[in-house]
Amino acid sequence: MNAENYDYENHFRNLYEKCRKHRYYLVSLTMADGSTMDGIIEDVDRDSVSVLVGEDVMEQESGNVSDSRQYGGYIRPRRRFRRFRRRTFPIATIAALALLPYISPYPYYQYPYYPYY
């Protein structure tokens, strides 16, 4: 494929519009180097995207045995948390953008939410 035949401006414009359309939704980003990450698109500029990227954090283990909770001889395992960090990516490094599905416990809520009139 020749570089002259490929319309880079149109590709970036389409990706920009897709990012604007999916603001405040949980999306999966595939980068140009092949890495993938999930996050919430927070802000979109003409040349960059600000994303809240989730990361797993484990509760720190204290060395003191009396600090750990024991239930009948059972020491509870460390808890796992999900924390979001703000990261900014240039639009040129994003290869693909996909909306992650949301499973609702109630059948009348759908993702994305469309109100009943």
Side-chain angles (χ1 to χ4, degrees), residues 12-14 19 26-27 40-41 48-49 51 60 63-65 68 80 85 95-97 104 106-107 113 115:
F12 292 138
R13 191 176 315 116
N14 290 341
C19 287
L26 184 62
V27 296
I40 300 168
I41 295 179
S48 64
V49 177
V51 181
Q60 289 187 356
N64 192 357
V65 178
S68 62
R80 186 177 128 188
R85 299 233 179 187
L97 178 80
S104 173
Y106 304 106
Y113 174 69

Side-chain angles (χ1 to χ4, degrees), residues 16-105:
Y16 171 77
E17 290 300 325
K18 196 171 185 181
C19 287
R20 280 185 48 94
K21 180 181 173 187
H22 291 100
R23 274 179 56 186
Y24 306 117
Y25 286 108
L26 184 62
V27 296
S28 174
L29 296 168
T30 304
M31 307 310 276
D33 63 354
S35 62
T36 60
M37 65 190 69
D38 63 334
I40 300 168
I41 295 179
E42 187 178 44
D43 190 28
V44 181
D45 293 335
R46 281 289 174 193
D47 54 348
S48 64
V49 177
S50 178
V51 181
L52 294 173
V53 178
E55 63 181 30
D56 292 330
V57 178
M58 297 296 286
E59 181 181 43
Q60 289 187 356
E61 200 171 318
S62 65
N64 192 357
V65 178
S66 64
D67 283 345
S68 62
R69 296 182 183 169
Q70 296 182 3
Y71 301 103
Y74 173 73
I75 298 175
R76 79 171 164 84
R78 296 185 334 175
R79 293 188 296 176
R80 186 177 128 188
F81 300 100
R82 184 106 168 139
R83 176 173 44 196
F84 288 90
R85 299 233 179 187
R86 183 174 293 114
R87 295 184 63 190
T88 303
F89 301 104
I91 287 185
T93 62
I94 299 174
L97 178 80
L99 187 65
L100 289 177
Y102 174 73
I103 308 301
S104 173

